[in-house]
Amino acid sequence: MIIKEYRVINNCTRDEYQVGQLYAVAEASKAETGGGEGVEVLKNEPYENAEGKGQYTYKIYHLSSKVPAIIRAIAPSGALELYEEAWNAYPHCKTVLTNGYMKDNFKLVTETMHVDNSRGEIDNALNISQDLLEKREVVIIDIANDPIEPKDYKKDQDPTLYHSEKTGRGPLKDDWIKKATPTMTCYKLVTVEFKWFGLQNKIESFIQNVMRSLFTNFHRQLFCWTDKWYGMTMDDIRAYEDKTKYDLDESRAKAPPQEET
């Protein structure tokens, strides 16, 4: 099991981030969906239990085109789908990702605490045990200066170039983390468990690298989309999510492109 805590510093307040994050998740889902694949939202509803109350979502990620054709041909049922459950009791959130084929042998858990007026300096924002603290590796994510894959770069999603007309924020330059206002930090504790003899450490390390890339690219988008979501209310966001679910279902229902043989 590999445990890392990613600290993503953002140039916004915690309340603003709540809206921006939900907007960006909806936009990213639309970009990944189509031709029988992508994100299927089965539940998006309020919940309340002994630990608190918030918004519960249950999604299926259909990943067929993300793997080579030969793997699709031999893969067992359920191997190319990921199931995500999320409990969003903002500012605390928890997401659990599993796979129907791997069952209890694969689990990816992300627990997040969103902290206002923070620049990534809090040592134990999630109040984890001493045992986990000793196993945890801390990774600071700088959305402006950290390198990304060339294939992921988009000029209109570059925080070093973007300027928000609505807020006056950006571009993010040099040591912006120390100077920018306002700021908040997402403290994300990611635990990966992949039980497969001979592959466990390699796959767990690979997944953690993917998570770092996802967090970096997602928050670059969130910042550069500031003028799209800034000023929206939570009621606006829930209505937008409902429309997005309809759009996702419509897009996923379209026939996928035929492959050449």
Side-chain angles (χ1 to χ4, degrees):
M1 180 188 297
I2 296 179
I3 302 172
K4 292 192 179 186
E5 182 182 296
Y6 300 93
R7 300 179 182 178
V8 190
I9 298 91
N10 297 279
N11 185 197
C12 61
T13 68
R14 185 173 70 181
D15 287 345
E16 291 169 355
Y17 180 87
Q18 183 179 18
V19 171
Q21 179 208 27
L22 294 173
Y23 175 88
V25 166
E27 286 297 296
S29 297
K30 288 193 289 186
E32 292 294 324
T33 301
E37 304 198 329
V39 185
E40 180 180 3
V41 182
L42 296 182
K43 291 185 179 181
N44 185 3
E45 61 194 23
Y47 79 90
E48 185 169 359
N49 58 29
E51 297 180 0
K53 60 183 180 179
Q55 194 77 6
Y56 170 79
T57 57
Y58 177 47
K59 302 176 183 178
I60 299 178
Y61 294 89
H62 302 275
L63 307 173
S64 191
S65 71
K66 307 298 182 184
V67 299
I70 189 169
I71 300 298
R72 295 200 298 273
I74 64 175
S77 175
L80 302 180
E81 293 181 344
L82 292 175
Y83 306 100
E84 180 194 270
E85 288 187 281
W87 296 265
N88 188 343
Y90 201 79
H92 179 265
C93 304
K94 182 177 181 179
T95 301
V96 178
L97 204 65
T98 56
N99 174 261
Y101 176 66
M102 292 289 292
K103 298 186 177 3
D104 293 338
N105 291 318
F106 169 72
K107 183 179 286 188
L108 173 60
V109 180
T110 303
E111 190 172 358
T112 306
M113 182 61 74
H114 304 87
V115 182
D116 217 1
N117 301 309
S118 171
R119 302 177 191 268
E121 76 286 357
I122 302 175
D123 185 56
N124 191 7
L126 284 153
N127 195 29
I128 61 178
S129 67
Q130 186 62 37
D131 179 57
L132 287 180
L133 282 174
E134 293 173 359
K135 296 176 181 177
R136 173 199 69 175
E137 176 188 344
V138 173
V139 179
I140 301 292
I141 291 181
D142 181 337
I143 63 170
N145 297 309
D146 284 358
I148 63 171
E149 293 288 333
K151 64 180 178 60
D152 293 329
Y153 179 80
K154 295 180 181 179
K155 188 175 181 180
D156 63 350
Q157 295 175 11
D158 186 341
T160 68
L161 302 176
Y162 175 76
H163 174 74
S164 166
E165 296 294 335
K166 290 184 178 180
T167 67
R169 298 167 194 166
L172 303 182
K173 300 288 188 179
D174 302 323
D175 56 350
W176 70 271
I177 290 178
K178 295 180 180 178
K179 298 178 179 179
T181 57
T183 58
M184 61 81 63
T185 298
C186 309
Y187 293 84
K188 293 180 169 292
L189 187 73
V190 178
T191 304
V192 181
E193 195 167 14
F194 186 93
K195 299 176 183 176
W196 197 302
F197 182 75
L199 290 175
Q200 181 167 348
N201 288 340
K202 185 175 182 179
I203 296 298
E204 289 181 355
S205 295
F206 170 77
I207 292 173
Q208 287 284 11
N209 288 336
V210 169
M211 295 302 289
R212 177 173 185 163
S213 177
L214 286 173
F215 292 149
T216 303
N217 290 325
F218 176 83
H219 288 88
R220 286 168 66 92
Q221 291 176 329
L222 188 150
F223 177 72
C224 293
W225 290 342
T226 296
D227 285 348
K228 296 182 178 181
W229 55 258
Y230 186 83
M232 294 179 75
T233 66
M234 286 303 295
D235 286 341
D236 294 333
I237 282 293
R238 294 306 177 202
Y240 190 71
E241 287 178 326
D242 289 341
K243 182 181 184 303
T244 298
K245 181 185 184 309
Y246 175 82
D247 292 342
L248 291 175
D249 291 342
E250 289 284 299
S251 182
R252 204 177 58 257
K254 295 179 181 178
Q258 296 297 312
E259 287 190 1
E260 295 183 3
T261 57

